[in-house]
């Protein structure tokens, strides 16, 4: 046309060689190929990936697990779902959610031309992955439809796979619900009836409102037992569930990792792990560390070695008497007084953390993990002598030793030759381990005494070859004499005035790291926290730190100053560049920064999160026990007292579903934080036994009014029996609206017998062993994680579905600390067919034909086609 845009469409028709017919007929209007009336399709192997369209891994992984559930797959691939489409359910989506799910499942299981027989198993050892050359789909229409059904899943934000799975199963259950009109049924009370009778009534009532393939496959039944503390009355509820959520057993105390820098020469820098209450403070961490240090010191005196095993347990034993407790608490408090937690950056100390800081405020908001703390041992405070207190000095500021102490932050700095010099060939870099000093009576010390204190503490964080510089025996002779003071005290300069006249240091100044070797091989300079510039001079002076004189004059250092230790070239050469030029592979350099001293692990570092292979690792049985643990209900309604009372609640399972979905509750959200639990949970791949949390069939325990109550039970049982039969027949596939006369009921029973349904005899309590066939893993942090699925295919091979990428894996690699959703299949249904659970026959007046469904979908703007 005139716009230059082509409007020509070409259609290529190929004549059938067998029938000699054209697809659109000779006139181009009448199609010669009719749609096959059979609902069957050529089934593939299901090893098909799903492309990630932007944070859609939460959708891909659960879909893959549901798709690999055989009965669920057969239900959609055989088009049996069309018989159950409910377009009148106000809680559903008029069958559209079921249709887009069916289209996606059919596309995952159709046979692709590129699919070939897979090679024999290539993964023979754990930890190995073999990539699979498999096709992949883009579930674009499914994702768009889900976003229209639920605004929460619209867009490309990250979501919880368990929340999506719950929404999908609930939506499918409503779209495929055979109940056209849900009746209102009041939840019955136990009223002294046996559990089996009461559970059947609850289950029957549930089936009167929800009857779908989702209920038949994934729905089980809880037993919630509420016991009043006052009247001891027990009330049981038997509610249905689709996903079994299990808590991870967790102690109120959390492990805190820390590095301890002792001020005593010859003591190694040590890494510790202590347990503190999850709502504790940094002071609680110091007290816990003090207990470990006191135990080690006590054992060293008695045994001459650091305790471990039985000796450590004996050292950390609980004190028996109250006097002993008070004495030990005083010792711990005094030790904690001589410690400080710092905020350490790359080679320097940024600030001292207050002891009142709470641990929840320090935890990572995404992962919930605490950072590694750095704790410094400080020099003890001077003894406080109240008798020596003068009448002329009554003020507390002069007598309290804690207030007369100053804190100094030290960072080490060396001069390096840069490869590409711009302004100067030498660069001054901060490296190694910083120091925190608490100096008593700093104002009365001279400059040389400050150098002595620094040299003493540097001995614990420098290489061995540098110690000869720090232990210089002739250092006293090198101290320059101070000038005689002939002026009056009032004419002396203040420290502030002296600091303004200190010697500036430029990058090209020889005395930075060259010239005469100082007493201890280093010079001190006042610098910023990161050690890059001077703390006193303005930036345009280009000063890298004003020199702290090493003389007998009063020191120019003040409380809170940051000081850099500029090492001389002689020390740099003697220590092989402080480890940068050594051949020792244990000393390394990271990101241009010289690593600090070697940190050794204390025996307490085993305290922390349980990991795979540990004897005390958390098992799935522990999670089941935590689920069934009795909990206290402070305000629960008692139907006998007719008021709210303190009660206890205990959860158990009564009816087990054919397919059990277990949700490990790894994500925790509290008022102060949100975090992900990364504990390893050891779950069985085969033979999960749920008998440990199955509720026992207990008879009625009430003895009062036995005659009257017994008659009520009898009448109730008589009335409930036909209800159970009707529901079982409904689950078996019979029409819920079938007539209730005896002839029609007999006919329906015969039809049920012809279908050979297993559900008619299944009470969900006979078989309690399950085998794993699918796992959804959550990898990474809480707000920046990724979902993958491990699935066991019909050939018995485990495969990892990472969106569009598929790998063959070993069965041992399925069990890891990232497992989030577990899909188990009951053993007695492993070889069952769809017809054993559901009536696949067409029912008059219900469901839709394929043509009707296509017409319904085509009438919408969002056609459900996999693109």
């Amino acid at each position: 046309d005139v716009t230059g845009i082509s409007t020509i469409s070409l259609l290529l028709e190929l004549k059938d060689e067998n029938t000699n017919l054209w697809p659109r007929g000779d006139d181009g209007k009448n199609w010669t190929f009719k749609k096959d009336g059979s609902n069957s399709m050529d089934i593939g192997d299901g090893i098909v990936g799903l492309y990630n369209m932007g944070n859609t891994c939460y959708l891909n992984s659960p879909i893959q697990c549901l798709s690999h559930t055989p009965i669920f797959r057969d239900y959609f691939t055989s088009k049996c779902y069309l018989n159950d489409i409910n377009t009148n359910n106000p809680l559903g989506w008029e069958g559209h959610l079921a249709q887009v799910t069916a289209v996606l499942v059919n596309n995952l299981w159709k046979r692709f031309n590129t699919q070939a027989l897979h090679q024999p198993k290539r993964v023979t050892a754990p930890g190995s992955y073999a990539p699979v050359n498999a096709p992949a789909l883009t579930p674009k229409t499914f994702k768009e439809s889900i976003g229209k059904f639920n605004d929460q899943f619209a867009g490309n934000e990250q979501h919880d796979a368990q929340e999506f799975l719950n929404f999908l199963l609930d939506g499918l259950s409503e779209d495929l619900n055979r109940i056209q009109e849900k009746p209102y049924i009041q939840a019955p009370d136990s009223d002294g009836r046996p559990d089996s009778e009461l559970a059947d009534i609850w289950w029957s009532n549930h089936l009167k409102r929800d009857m779908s393939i989702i209920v038949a496959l994934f729905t089980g039944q809880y037993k919630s037992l509420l016991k009043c503390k006052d009247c001891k009355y027990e009330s049981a509820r038997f509610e249905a569930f689709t996903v079994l959520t299990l808590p991870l057993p967790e102690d109120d105390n959390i492990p805190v990792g820390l590095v301890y820098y002792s001020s005593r020469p010859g003591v190694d820098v040590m890494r510790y792990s202590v347990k503190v209450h999850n709502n504790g403070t940094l002071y609680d961490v110091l007290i816990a560390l003090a207990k470990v240090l006191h135990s080690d010191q006590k054992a060293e005196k008695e045994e001459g070695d650091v305790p471990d095993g039985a000796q450590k347990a004996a050292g950390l034993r609980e004190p028996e008497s109250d006097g002993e407790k008070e004495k030990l608490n005083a010792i711990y408090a005094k030790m904690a007084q001589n410690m400080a937690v710092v905020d350490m950056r790359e080679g320097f100390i940024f600030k001292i953390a207050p002891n009142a800081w709470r641990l929840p405020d320090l935890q990572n908001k995404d992962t919930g993990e605490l950072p590694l703390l750095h704790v410094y041992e400080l020099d003890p405070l001077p003894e406080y002598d109240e008798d020596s207190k003068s009448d002329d000095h009554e003020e507390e500021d002069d007598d309290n030793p804690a207030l007369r102490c100053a804190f100094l932050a030290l960072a080490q700095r060396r001069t390096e030759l840069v490869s590409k010099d711009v302004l100067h060939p030498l660069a001054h870099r901060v490296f190694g381990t910083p120091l925190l000093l608490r100096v008593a009576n700093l104002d009365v010390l001279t400059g040389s005494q400050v150098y002595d204190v620094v040299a003493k503490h540097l001995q614990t964080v420098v290489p061995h070859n540098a110690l000869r510089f720090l232990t210089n025996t002739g250092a006293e002779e090198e101290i320059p004499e101070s000038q005689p003071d002939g002026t009056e005290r009032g004419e002396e300069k203040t420290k502030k005035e002296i600091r303004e006249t200190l010697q500036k240091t430029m990058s090209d100044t020889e005395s930075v790291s060259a010239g005469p070797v100082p007493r201890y091989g280093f010079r001190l300079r006042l610098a910023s926290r990161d050690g890059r510039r001077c703390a006193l001079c303005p930036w345009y002076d280009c000063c890298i730190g004003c020199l702290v004189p090493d003389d007998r004059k009063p020191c120019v250092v003040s409380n809170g100053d940051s000081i850099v230790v500029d090492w001389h070239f002689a020390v740099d050469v003697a220590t092989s560049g402080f480890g940068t030029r050594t051949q020792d592979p244990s000393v390394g350099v990271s990101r241009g920064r010289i690593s600090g001293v070697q940190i050794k692990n204390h025996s307490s570092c085993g305290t922390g999160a349980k990991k795979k292979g540990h004897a005390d690792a958390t098992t799935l049985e522990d999670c089941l026990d935590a689920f069934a643990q009795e909990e206290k209900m402070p305000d629960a309604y008692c139907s006998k007292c007719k008021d709210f009372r303190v009660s206890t609640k205990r959860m158990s399972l009564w009816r087990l579903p054919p397919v059990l979905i277990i949700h490990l509750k790894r994500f925790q959200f509290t008022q102060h934080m949100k975090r992900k639990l990364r504990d390893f949970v050891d779950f069985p791949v085969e033979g999960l036994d749920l008998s440990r949390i199955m509720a026992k069939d207990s008879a009625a325990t009430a003895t009062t009014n036995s005659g009257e109550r017994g008659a009520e039970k009898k009448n109730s049982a008589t009335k409930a029996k036909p209800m159970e039969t009707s529901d079982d027949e409904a689950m078996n596939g019979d029409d819920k609206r079938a007539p209730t006369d005896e002839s029609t009921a007999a006919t329906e029973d015969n039809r049920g017998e012809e279908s050979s349904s297993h559900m008619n005899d299944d009470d969900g309590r006979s078989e309690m062993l399950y085998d794993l066939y699918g796992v959804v893993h959550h990898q990474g942090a809480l707000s920046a994680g990724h979902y993958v699925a491990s699935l066991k295919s019909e050939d018995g091979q485990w495969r990892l579905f990472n969106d569009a990428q598929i790998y063959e894996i070993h069965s041992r690699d399925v069990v890891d600390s990232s497992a989030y959703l577990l899909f188990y299949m009951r053993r007695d249904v492993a070889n069952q067919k769809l017809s054993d659970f559901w009536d696949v026959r067409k029912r008059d007046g219900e469901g839709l034909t394929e043509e009707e469904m296509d017409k319904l979908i085509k009438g919408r703007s969002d056609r459900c086609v996999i693109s």
Side-chain angles (χ1 to χ4, degrees), residues 473-585:
T473 56
E476 292 293 335
E477 300 177 358
E478 302 177 13
I479 302 176
E481 292 292 338
S482 60
Q483 297 296 329
D485 192 359
T487 61
E488 297 294 334
R489 184 172 182 85
E491 300 178 5
E492 292 182 355
K493 292 184 179 179
T494 63
K495 179 179 288 190
K496 181 178 180 181
E497 295 174 341
I498 297 176
R499 287 163 67 98
E500 293 176 353
T501 59
L502 291 177
Q503 177 184 346
K504 294 180 174 58
T505 306
M506 307 301 171
S507 296
D508 55 353
T509 304
E510 181 184 14
S511 60
V512 174
S513 54
V517 180
R519 281 197 304 146
Y520 294 114
F522 64 82
R523 296 182 178 92
L524 300 180
R525 291 182 171 88
L526 298 175
S528 59
R529 288 281 188 262
D530 56 4
R532 296 181 179 179
R533 58 182 180 84
C534 182
L536 304 179
C537 301
W539 63 271
Y540 48 80
D541 283 352
C542 299
C543 178
I544 62 174
C546 290
L547 179 66
V548 177
D550 183 9
D551 54 18
R552 300 186 186 275
K553 292 183 179 180
C555 70
V556 297
V557 181
S558 300
N559 181 23
D561 279 346
S562 294
I563 304 175
V564 290
V565 180
D566 281 331
W567 290 100
H568 195 273
F569 276 135
V571 184
D572 189 279
V573 173
T575 58
S576 298
F578 290 92
T580 58
R581 297 187 294 271
T582 182
Q583 300 297 324
D584 186 3

Side-chain angles (χ1 to χ4, degrees), residues 647-659:
S647 306
T648 59
K649 181 180 179 181
R650 183 182 295 275
M651 298 291 296
S652 57
L653 299 183
W654 179 265
R655 189 185 304 267
L656 298 177
V659 178

Side-chain angles (χ1 to χ4, degrees), residues 361-645:
D361 297 334
L362 301 178
Q363 288 177 318
N364 187 291
K365 301 305 179 184
D366 294 331
T367 64
E369 295 182 349
L370 283 169
L372 183 66
L373 303 181
H374 297 269
V375 182
Y376 281 86
E377 181 184 13
L378 307 175
D379 290 341
L381 292 173
E383 294 295 334
Y384 182 62
D385 189 4
E386 296 183 355
D387 297 336
S388 62
K389 189 174 175 181
S390 174
D391 295 338
D392 297 335
H393 301 83
E394 295 288 343
E395 296 182 2
E396 185 181 357
D397 292 350
D398 295 335
D399 296 326
N400 192 341
L403 299 177
R404 297 201 308 266
C405 292
F407 288 90
L408 303 178
L410 272 67
Q412 302 182 66
R413 194 166 65 179
R414 66 187 292 265
T415 302
E416 298 177 348
L417 182 65
V418 295
S419 57
K420 297 180 180 180
D421 58 300
V422 179
L423 299 176
H424 196 270
L426 299 178
H428 311 283
R429 302 185 185 277
V430 174
F431 75 98
T433 304
L435 286 177
L436 178 67
L437 304 184
R438 183 172 63 184
V439 183
N441 301 320
L442 178 63
D443 293 336
V444 301
L445 297 182
T446 63
S448 61
Q449 290 175 328
V450 172
Y451 273 78
D452 296 339
V453 173
V454 173
K456 173 186 174 183
H457 288 82
L458 282 174
Q459 298 179 21
T460 60
V461 294
V462 297
H464 181 73
N465 294 335
L467 294 179
R468 63 185 181 91
F469 293 92
L470 300 177
T471 57
N472 188 1
T473 56
E476 292 293 335
E477 300 177 358
E478 302 177 13
I479 302 176
E481 292 292 338
S482 60
Q483 297 296 329
D485 192 359
T487 61
E488 297 294 334
R489 184 172 182 85
E491 300 178 5
E492 292 182 355
K493 292 184 179 179
T494 63
K495 179 179 288 190
K496 181 178 180 181
E497 295 174 341
I498 297 176
R499 287 163 67 98
E500 293 176 353
T501 59
L502 291 177
Q503 177 184 346
K504 294 180 174 58
T505 306
M506 307 301 171
S507 296
D508 55 353
T509 304
E510 181 184 14
S511 60
V512 174
S513 54
V517 180
R519 281 197 304 146
Y520 294 114
F522 64 82
R523 296 182 178 92
L524 300 180
R525 291 182 171 88
L526 298 175
S528 59
R529 288 281 188 262
D530 56 4
R532 296 181 179 179
R533 58 182 180 84
C534 182
L536 304 179
C537 301
W539 63 271
Y540 48 80
D541 283 352
C542 299
C543 178
I544 62 174
C546 290
L547 179 66
V548 177
D550 183 9
D551 54 18
R552 300 186 186 275
K553 292 183 179 180
C555 70
V556 297
V557 181
S558 300
N559 181 23
D561 279 346
S562 294
I563 304 175
V564 290
V565 180
D566 281 331
W567 290 100
H568 195 273
F569 276 135
V571 184
D572 189 279
V573 173
T575 58
S576 298
F578 290 92
T580 58
R581 297 187 294 271
T582 182
Q583 300 297 324
D584 186 3
S586 63
V587 180
V589 181
S590 174
R591 297 181 182 179
R593 304 286 186 178
I594 302 176
S595 60
V597 296
Q598 183 179 4
I599 300 177
K600 296 184 178 180
N601 289 332
H602 188 261
S603 58
S604 62
C605 287
T607 304
K610 300 175 182 179
K611 299 180 180 179
K612 184 175 182 179
H614 288 193
D616 59 344
T618 302
T619 63
L620 189 60
E621 286 75 12
D622 297 332
C623 300
L624 293 172
D625 293 340
F627 164 78
Q629 187 176 5
E630 185 177 85
E631 60 176 318
K632 185 178 179 180
M633 308 292 292
D635 198 15
Y637 183 78
C638 177
S639 57
K640 185 177 181 180
C641 299
K642 304 300 181 181
D643 200 357
F644 291 92
R645 294 285 188 267

Side-chain angles (χ1 to χ4, degrees), residues 333-365:
K334 187 174 182 180
M335 295 178 66
Q337 191 180 25
N338 297 328
M339 300 179 193
V341 182
V342 301
D343 181 5
M344 183 181 293
R345 304 296 172 87
E346 194 76 21
F348 64 92
I349 295 175
F350 183 70
K351 63 181 176 181
I352 301 177
N355 290 343
W357 274 9
R358 297 173 57 255
L359 295 182
D361 297 334
L362 301 178
Q363 288 177 318
N364 187 291
K365 301 305 179 184

Side-chain angles (χ1 to χ4, degrees), residues 194-200 203 220-224 237-239 241 652-656 693-698 763-766 768:
D195 286 349
S196 58
E197 177 185 335
L198 185 62
D200 288 342
W203 184 249
Q221 198 174 13
Y222 289 127
K223 177 188 176 182
S224 174
R237 297 175 62 90
F238 295 85
E239 298 177 340
F241 71 90
S652 57
L653 299 183
W654 179 265
R655 189 185 304 267
L656 298 177
I693 62 170
M694 286 295 293
K696 296 182 180 180
D697 188 2
S698 60
D763 59 354
R765 296 177 60 83
S766 56
M768 303 182 188

